[in-house]
Amino acid sequence: MPPRKIIIDTDPGQDDAVAILLALSSPEDMDVLGITAVAGNVPLELTQKNARIVCELAGKTDVPVFAGCDRPMGRQLVTAEHVHGKTGLDGPSLPDPTMPLQDQHAVDFIIETLHREDAGTVTLCVLGPLTNIATAFEKAPEVIERVQQIVLMGGAYFEVGNITPTAEFNIYVDPEAAEITFKSGVDIVVMPLDVTHKALVTQPRNDAFRDLGTPSGIAVAQMTDFFERFDKEKYGSNGAPLHDPCVTAYLIAPELFSGRHINVEIETQSDLTRGMTVADWWGVTDRPANATFIGDLDADGFFALLVERIGRL
Ligand code: BDR
Ligand code: CA
């Protein structure tokens, strides 16, 4: 099978960075057409810069990076420096990028790419708030049916929420964009907290990254070292959850994951439950299924894949 053509839409973020490294180290599985940055974990100015830092770390300076929306569709931006640090990539000390940022707006790149490539051949891998994606769908609705699939990190059901008691960060930041995306009719695969909280970087797993002895391996270990203090304190867990790499790992090895094709709706009205992903896991409504909601993964297989692939860089 030829590699799958993908656009990575992202707000790096240490876990976004690992997801990008996995994609860039897997050319036989993924052809990264471009990376589009969005405001999320930190403001856009930093996420677009961090995306370029990660490409340079991987030695893939030919991947075009675009800056997209600097705020959600209808709300103030909420960021997560309390998790990711001031830069969004705290942990390793990585040089400022020298590769250029593309002039084109990320939303226009997404639209143009979907027009240019054959219909049904481009997958959108979304690792942050869905602002760029929904803005593209609003601006050029004809591209919606040309998307092969959206694989996104966002939401939660049994884990409920991380940024509020009922909402996961990516959906909470821009619930209107999430609603547009989930109602778009595109084939959607969701990596909610239910699965990403099972992708924990325990000490031996972190050691395996560091023991690669390469700049990428060491940087991944340093990023997760930084990132884990938050989750250890909050959840008492054994390490940091690698949320976003679940997206790119799914595209390489879907057999590591399992879930259900169900109805998922986004709460946009309530102040109390803003951004909640109301997931009909038990099939108690007649609402039509619109997303594959992943619930479980083979964590050892997932980390073996990450170490093997990142070890190539
Ligand atoms: C998601 O929010 C961000 O902090 C992470 O990068 C991930 O995409 C987890 O809720
Ligand atoms: Ca992210």
Side-chain angles (χ1 to χ4, degrees):
M1 266 220 306
R4 229 164 129 157
K5 288 181 271 189
I6 67 167
I7 295 173
I8 302 178
D9 190 72
T10 178
D11 62 337
Q14 292 90 347
D15 62 319
D16 302 71
V18 181
I20 294 168
L21 291 174
L22 178 60
L24 295 179
S25 61
S26 304
E28 71 272 49
D29 296 300
M30 280 179 272
D31 177 6
V32 183
L33 303 178
I35 298 179
T36 52
V38 69
N41 285 324
V42 284
L44 182 68
E45 213 165 303
L46 289 170
T47 60
Q48 57 86 356
K49 178 180 165 192
N50 291 344
R52 289 181 293 137
I53 289 175
V54 175
C55 289
E56 291 195 0
L57 174 65
K60 308 282 181 189
T61 50
D62 53 338
V63 177
V65 175
F66 303 82
C69 300
D70 64 359
R71 73 193 73 160
M73 295 181 92
R75 297 176 188 260
Q76 297 285 318
L77 177 64
V78 176
T79 53
E81 286 88 352
H82 61 294
V83 182
H84 300 273
K86 211 160 163 246
T87 66
L89 269 192
D90 279 20
S93 164
L94 296 168
D96 278 352
T98 56
M99 65 183 275
L101 179 68
Q102 301 295 311
D103 291 335
Q104 191 177 26
H105 193 283
V107 168
D108 295 326
F109 169 74
I110 292 168
I111 293 170
E112 189 189 287
T113 305
L114 288 167
H115 278 144
R116 186 189 63 234
E117 301 292 336
D118 290 343
T121 65
V122 176
T123 292
L124 305 175
C125 301
V126 190
L127 315 178
L130 286 145
T131 320
N132 285 344
I133 307 303
T135 305
F137 287 1
E138 293 266 278
K139 191 170 175 189
E142 74 283 359
V143 301
I144 295 174
E145 62 180 30
R146 301 181 69 81
V147 177
Q148 180 177 19
Q149 191 173 49
I150 294 174
V151 186
L152 67 91
M153 191 281 137
Y157 183 57
F158 296 100
E159 289 283 307
V160 202
N162 58 359
I163 186 78
T164 73
T166 58
E168 180 281 328
F169 179 78
N170 289 342
I171 307 294
Y172 177 80
V173 171
D174 199 343
E176 284 73 22
E179 185 178 40
I180 290 168
T181 306
F182 276 81
K183 286 193 185 312
S184 67
V186 175
D187 175 7
I188 298 177
V189 178
V190 186
M191 297 291 163
L193 298 179
D194 304 294
V195 65
T196 68
H197 279 175
K198 294 174 182 160
L200 285 185
V201 190
T202 57
Q203 193 58 51
R205 289 170 179 162
N206 202 27
D207 291 343
F209 288 125
R210 187 172 280 105
D211 291 347
L212 288 170
T214 58
S216 292
I218 293 166
V220 168
Q222 291 171 335
M223 284 189 232
T224 53
D225 272 345
F226 178 85
F227 184 54
E228 72 171 13
R229 87 211 180 295
F230 175 78
D231 284 85
K232 275 185 166 169
E233 260 169 46
K234 181 171 166 193
Y235 296 106
S237 56
N238 279 337
L242 277 187
H243 304 285
D244 294 338
C246 290
V247 169
T248 42
Y250 177 83
L251 290 172
I252 300 171
E255 66 281 3
L256 295 174
F257 298 85
S258 58
R260 292 186 186 183
H261 191 53
I262 60 168
N263 176 267
V264 181
E265 304 286 335
I266 312 296
E267 175 57 55
T268 58
Q269 304 297 318
S270 158
D271 283 340
L272 198 58
T273 58
R274 157 185 168 184
M276 184 173 187
T277 42
V278 180
D280 189 7
W281 184 262
W282 301 113
V284 295
T285 72
D286 292 333
R287 296 194 286 258
N290 59 344
T292 300
F293 205 75
I294 301 295
D296 217 341
L297 93 162
D298 167 357
D300 286 336
F302 170 79
F303 280 96
L305 177 72
L306 276 169
V307 171
E308 186 258 312
R309 295 295 169 100
I310 289 172
R312 296 169 169 187
L313 294 170

